[in-house]
Amino acid sequence: MDRIEEISRRLDRVESRFEISELVSSYALACDEHDLPRLTSLFTEDAEFDSSNGMMIAKGRGEIVDMFIRMLKVRGPGYHWTHDHFVRFDGANPDRATGLVLSHAETCPQNEVSLAAMRYEDEYARENGKWKFRKRKISFLYYVPARDFPTALSSTNRFKVNGQDKPADYPESLACWQEFKRQHVDA
């Protein structure tokens, strides 16, 4: 690869990084505004949506939109914001990348104000020059009614929605968390 090709490749990655970040922000806005046309446009036709707890699973853009319709019908106002965002480009395919997004949300399912901390494991694909989600997997550190937030982190059951009380998706499931506990807590 000559110098011009290398500079072009690096510039493409920089521009792509910004476009992927805007994709992630557009998702948050579309969810908060219940903007289905915008939300729909963010996913590839063959996209997948997954959740560690199994409550949000859909394959294909149509199923993803249907899933969001069901969810947004009962959620009411919400506010999502993203924090750190890591993007790794596929060295073999300039139109593929993966990412990890750390985020929070304030939502109101069934008229109950709730707080959530979550992470998204993403796969991105560039179609016709535009970056989109190929796959999103959401995992929750917690999703609790606001009244339960002060004590939420003191329990492993940190996913409390629609009367369900389930263990959180992470960090307890992470290998590094388990190894730390094994070496330094349980020892």
Side-chain angles (χ1 to χ4, degrees):
M1 182 180 307
D2 70 13
R3 185 151 170 76
I4 298 296
E5 288 173 333
E6 174 64 17
I7 291 170
S8 293
R9 185 185 67 80
R10 291 175 69 188
L11 180 59
D12 177 58
R13 284 189 174 188
V14 169
E15 290 175 341
S16 292
R17 175 68 169 90
F18 282 110
E19 188 176 333
I20 290 168
S21 290
E22 288 181 4
L23 172 70
V24 168
S25 296
S26 292
Y27 169 87
L29 283 172
C31 287
D32 291 346
E33 296 174 356
H34 297 194
D35 185 343
L36 288 176
R38 183 180 203 175
L39 188 63
T40 303
S41 75
L42 304 177
F43 290 90
T44 63
E45 186 66 39
D46 65 343
E48 298 176 34
F49 200 100
D50 194 6
S51 60
S52 293
N53 62 23
M55 294 187 71
M56 297 171 65
I57 297 176
K59 293 188 184 303
R61 186 186 295 148
E63 279 189 25
I64 292 170
V65 171
D66 290 345
M67 178 190 70
F68 275 100
I69 289 171
R70 288 188 305 275
M71 186 176 62
L72 295 174
K73 281 170 49 174
V74 298
R75 201 187 72 202
Y79 186 79
H80 290 74
W81 65 100
T82 58
H83 306 295
D84 299 317
H85 184 193
F86 303 90
V87 176
R88 300 289 176 260
F89 291 94
D90 183 331
N93 185 342
D95 295 328
R96 300 285 182 185
T98 58
L100 176 68
V101 179
L102 307 179
S103 62
H104 277 90
E106 300 166 355
T107 61
C108 194
Q110 306 293 344
N111 293 317
E112 182 168 44
V113 175
S114 297
L115 305 171
M118 59 265 185
R119 62 195 317 171
Y120 292 93
E121 296 172 52
D122 290 335
E123 293 178 18
Y124 312 109
R126 183 164 37 190
E127 289 185 340
N128 301 316
K130 187 168 178 66
W131 285 98
K132 297 183 178 192
F133 293 110
R134 167 62 193 94
K135 184 172 184 179
R136 289 211 101 180
K137 181 178 181 181
I138 189 171
S139 300
F140 290 92
L141 172 66
Y142 59 82
Y143 194 151
V144 297
R147 70 177 175 280
D148 293 345
F149 179 72
T151 59
L153 291 174
S154 63
S155 168
T156 57
N157 287 341
R158 297 186 304 270
F159 187 85
K160 301 178 181 192
V161 177
N162 299 329
Q164 297 185 13
D165 193 2
K166 294 182 169 186
D169 298 323
Y170 72 95
E172 293 86 354
S173 63
L174 301 175
C176 57
W177 181 276
Q178 293 169 6
E179 181 63 18
F180 179 88
K181 188 172 187 269
R182 186 185 66 72
Q183 288 186 13
H184 302 288
V185 178
D186 296 339

